[in-house]
Amino acid sequence: MAMIHEEIQSQIEKRRTFAIISHPDAGKTTLTEKLLLFGGAIRMAGEVKGRKAKKFATSDWMQIEKERGISVTSSAMQFNYQGHHINILDTPGHQDFSEDTYRTLIAADSAVMLIDAAKGVEAQTIKLFKVCSQRGIPIFTFINKMDRYGKDPLELLEELEQVLAIRSCPMNWPIGMGDEFCGIYDRQNKKIELYRKAEQPQSVALEGPGLEDPAIAELIGATRHEKLCEEIDLLDIAGDPFDADKINSGQLTPVFFGSAISKFGVQTFLDSFLKLAPAPHAHNSNIGLVDTIQTGFSGFIFKIQANMNPSHRDRIAFLRVCSGKFERGMTVNHVRSGKKIKLAQPQQFLAQDRDIIEEAYPGDIIGLHDTGTFRIGDTLCAQDNFEFERLPQFPPEHFARVFNMNAMKYKQFQKGVAQLVEEGTVQTFRIADRTEDLILGVVGELQFEVFAYRLKSEYGADIRLERLPYQLARWINLSASIDPSRLSTLSSLCVTDQDQKMVVLCEYESTLNLLQRQNPGLEFCSSPYEADQQDYVSTNAG
Ligand code: G4P
């Protein structure tokens, strides 16, 4: 037994499982490609090919992906680098992202926040950051495109603090930018890495006089040298000092500068990241924290994806391994149903190319064939029967009324809706006294199109969507029963969700504020499990 524990321990230490969060076009695909390159990888999944797909439409696992030229699903990649086993969880980059994107973050142990130096902190980054920050996971910042003119680096740090309310600690500092960009100064190792277009960067260690050395001025030019010395002085005096504990709890983000396209600064970033980022750790469950080593195999499903390959017409459930060793062919407890399931064909999930895997360890993501058994949030355990904490549900921001256009296909319509709700890409609501009316809520607008497309192509059902003006959904915590009509106004609508919980949809933040003022006895929560989620956040933050 001890041998297996040692094996798991050593595998866990090697593992880093993270997601890259960014706004579209910040360079996530480019950065991912460079990271994979260092690993000599490559197990490369759909998203990395996504950029090419934008132009050449090579991906065939979802027709709509071709039509829109974007990637609508998220996946993961694995590579080995200097003894580490790295899992990158990918998040769809288009602005019309889905609840899946958020949920993928729940399976990550840390996040890399990628920022375009010219654009600063953008809308989608803010949303994704919030989810990471609520979980208290460490966030590493890479400020990209230094080879172009962008915002002043100090201004960017200020933006992190003002927009995201996170303190930052620059691990390196850019020397010039755009055409003037000539490298980065590594604050910890006291060396300069010189940027050479289309060439290997050159590393120069500082001698006795340090940064003030006139030889450095010669190397990078007097003006840039003067600015660099001033800025580093300022950071040393007024900046936040490096603090590993604060980084670990997500209060402080280490910041790196670079240019992903030329690979510059990427390896330095990766090396530091691997040193600082946490290995997989215990997850919380209904019986307390689940030890990664002492507990037998366990994991939870965070994503279900249908039709990854239309010719197979299959669903894949993505499982994050949380404890123990996973072995192919294992029989496990499916805790929700109480059934035993044999996991015969686990896959390392790659978009078109799939590999059967023999074993996996905490931090790894495996793909399981699903014939309708799994639901998002399900726990699988080899020996035990505990359940991991419920995954948070994210409030939809776009709503539409759905009409089934072909009465003959009503059954298919119902089945399709039920399955897509199970996959967690859409949420459904009904108006209290008009239960035949179905309202769809999504996190990203594109999901409407995906929904209609999939109902047609997979279930043969034709639908019409009528957009509704609401932008906010709030679950009502009921202490006493109330008349739903009290919450339906000209700019709000009272509905029930798929679990018959009461929800109010509002057009504006001001509508919500008014309802809150008029109904002081009600609690307006941004998800049905907000209270649970608070527990989840606090237990995982440590
Ligand atoms: P995304 O996945 O975050 O959406 O971004 P992606 O990597 O596709 O990059 C978006 C654009 O930014 C691409 O240009 C890419 O080449 C460019 N880019 C990425 N990193 C850097 C960088 O460090 N410096 C500079 N100057 N540009 C960078 P594109 O014109 O849209 O595509 P392509 O023609 O280059 O493929």
Side-chain angles (χ1 to χ4, degrees):
M1 202 56 184
M3 279 262 287
I4 181 80
H5 287 170
E6 271 173 36
E7 178 193 332
I8 297 170
Q9 167 95 49
S10 92
Q11 292 292 337
I12 288 178
E13 280 165 12
K14 287 183 190 172
R15 273 161 172 77
R16 297 291 181 275
T17 300
F18 68 96
I20 302 182
I21 58 173
S22 64
H23 194 83
D25 274 345
K28 180 165 59 78
T29 313
T30 312
L31 179 70
T32 310
E33 277 172 354
K34 304 300 176 196
L35 290 173
L36 293 172
L37 228 122
F38 287 122
I42 318 243
R43 295 186 187 290
M44 203 189 282
E47 183 78 7
V48 173
K49 292 173 186 165
R51 185 143 59 96
K52 292 232 162 54
K54 276 184 206 168
K55 290 167 190 156
F56 308 113
T58 52
S59 169
D60 68 353
W61 37 279
M62 204 177 246
Q63 187 68 22
I64 196 164
E65 204 187 2
K66 277 194 213 164
E67 286 170 9
R68 292 287 299 250
I70 47 167
S71 183
V72 286
T73 51
S74 57
S75 46
M77 286 143 276
Q78 301 188 319
F79 68 100
N80 292 306
Y81 172 75
Q82 296 193 346
H84 286 283
H85 185 97
I86 300 161
N87 293 299
I88 307 184
L89 287 162
D90 213 352
T91 46
H94 193 270
Q95 52 198 349
D96 289 321
F97 64 133
S98 74
E99 207 170 331
D100 261 0
T101 318
Y102 286 142
R103 253 189 246 109
T104 299
L105 300 176
I106 309 298
D109 297 320
S110 58
V112 170
M113 179 164 70
L114 181 68
I115 287 174
D116 181 329
K119 303 214 175 117
V121 180
E122 296 176 84
Q124 191 163 304
T125 315
I126 300 175
K127 289 184 181 177
L128 296 168
F129 173 89
K130 274 190 190 154
V131 178
C132 296
S133 145
Q134 272 189 330
R135 290 189 58 218
I137 61 171
I139 297 167
F140 297 78
T141 305
F142 186 89
I143 299 189
N144 192 27
K145 306 197 186 179
M146 293 311 297
D147 58 300
R148 282 198 192 154
Y149 289 100
K151 294 188 181 182
D152 184 77
L154 285 168
E155 199 186 312
L156 285 164
L157 298 190
E158 216 173 286
E159 210 173 303
L160 292 181
E161 197 178 330
Q162 297 204 333
V163 182
L164 302 176
I166 188 165
R167 312 285 303 187
S168 59
C169 165
M171 305 297 285
N172 56 38
W173 197 249
I175 310 170
M177 65 165 70
D179 290 341
E180 302 281 299
F181 182 55
C182 76
I184 46 179
Y185 169 59
D186 180 340
R187 291 178 74 203
Q188 279 211 317
N189 301 309
K190 305 261 179 284
K191 62 178 190 182
I192 284 177
E193 230 176 280
L194 290 174
Y195 169 68
R196 301 265 183 260
K197 255 188 202 154
E199 280 175 43
Q200 282 296 325
Q202 187 189 342
S203 199
V204 182
L206 299 190
E207 302 287 339
L211 205 51
E212 305 289 338
D213 191 343
I216 302 293
E218 242 170 73
L219 204 63
I220 61 175
T223 322
R224 278 188 294 233
H225 182 240
E226 199 180 322
K227 186 166 186 279
L228 175 67
C229 289
E230 262 172 33
E231 288 173 338
I232 294 297
D233 267 353
L234 189 71
L235 292 177
D236 286 347
I237 298 163
D240 282 83
F242 177 86
D243 182 328
D245 289 339
K246 283 190 179 162
I247 293 175
N248 232 338
S249 58
Q251 293 166 272
L252 181 74
T253 179
V255 176
F256 301 80
F257 291 84
S259 159
I261 201 150
S262 50
K263 230 168 51 180
F264 184 79
V266 176
Q267 192 158 15
T268 316
F269 164 73
L270 180 59
D271 290 340
S272 299
F273 170 77
L274 291 173
K275 272 193 213 124
L276 298 171
H281 53 82
H283 277 74
N284 212 7
S285 75
N286 58 353
I287 56 158
L289 284 178
V290 174
D291 188 276
T292 47
I293 300 168
Q294 301 294 329
T295 317
F297 162 75
S298 74
F300 64 86
I301 302 219
F302 64 95
K303 175 180 155 85
I304 292 175
Q305 190 174 321
N307 249 7
M308 283 186 69
N309 183 342
S311 60
H312 293 177
R313 295 197 66 79
D314 55 357
R315 297 213 305 188
I316 298 278
F318 295 97
L319 176 127
R320 145 95 198 208
V321 182
C322 295
S323 69
K325 179 178 179 179
F326 170 83
E327 283 169 292
R328 178 183 172 189
M330 235 175 181
T331 299
V332 299
N333 298 325
H334 179 238
V335 182
R336 182 174 50 80
S337 69
K339 288 189 183 140
K340 289 208 176 290
I341 299 177
K342 188 173 157 81
L343 304 177
Q345 293 226 310
Q347 302 178 348
Q348 248 158 0
F349 62 96
L350 314 166
Q352 294 107 321
D353 318 314
R354 300 189 193 170
D355 265 8
I356 301 293
I357 56 156
E358 296 300 328
E359 54 193 35
Y361 296 91
D364 287 343
I365 311 296
I366 51 181
L368 304 169
H369 269 291
D370 179 26
T371 47
T373 316
F374 298 124
R375 274 197 214 149
I376 288 181
D378 279 359
T379 300
L380 299 184
C381 298
Q383 293 123 23
D384 309 86
N385 268 306
F386 58 79
E387 284 190 287
F388 286 107
E389 277 192 302
R390 211 197 290 248
L391 298 192
Q393 193 173 336
F394 299 92
E397 293 175 22
H398 307 277
F399 302 87
R401 191 167 277 149
V402 191
F403 299 94
N404 172 38
M405 300 305 284
N406 184 348
M408 302 292 286
K409 300 262 174 150
Y410 188 66
K411 265 202 170 139
Q412 287 89 326
F413 168 74
Q414 272 191 316
K415 186 174 168 211
V417 172
Q419 288 213 351
L420 293 178
V421 167
E422 251 172 47
E423 272 181 38
T425 51
V426 293
Q427 296 178 38
T428 50
F429 303 93
R430 286 178 195 276
I431 304 173
D433 50 358
R434 297 215 309 267
T435 46
E436 71 286 1
D437 273 17
L438 186 66
I439 292 174
L440 213 59
V442 296
V443 166
E445 266 189 283
L446 179 66
Q447 288 312 119
F448 285 137
E449 247 175 85
V450 174
F451 180 82
Y453 176 84
R454 288 191 54 192
L455 275 185
K456 173 92 185 138
S457 70
E458 293 168 35
Y459 304 93
D462 274 308
I463 59 162
R464 185 169 67 80
L465 289 167
E466 184 185 287
R467 295 297 296 272
L468 295 168
Y470 309 110
Q471 297 185 39
L472 295 160
R474 290 292 179 271
W475 275 257
I476 307 298
N477 228 342
L478 282 177
S479 39
S481 77
I482 64 151
D483 173 7
S485 64
R486 261 173 59 186
L487 296 175
S488 290
T489 65
L490 278 178
S491 52
S492 67
L493 181 67
C494 190
V495 294
T496 51
D497 73 358
Q498 49 256 26
D499 299 319
Q500 273 69 57
K501 292 198 168 107
M502 189 179 277
V503 180
V504 62
L505 311 182
C506 301
E507 275 187 49
Y508 313 103
E509 198 74 49
S510 55
T511 322
L512 175 63
N513 293 340
L514 185 67
L515 288 176
Q516 281 172 321
R517 276 201 304 276
Q518 288 171 340
N519 298 281
L522 299 182
E523 230 184 298
F524 294 75
C525 306
S526 52
S527 88
Y529 315 119
E530 202 166 66
D532 298 5
Q533 200 181 328
Q534 285 307 322
D535 289 349
Y536 179 85
V537 169
S538 57
T539 37
N540 277 270

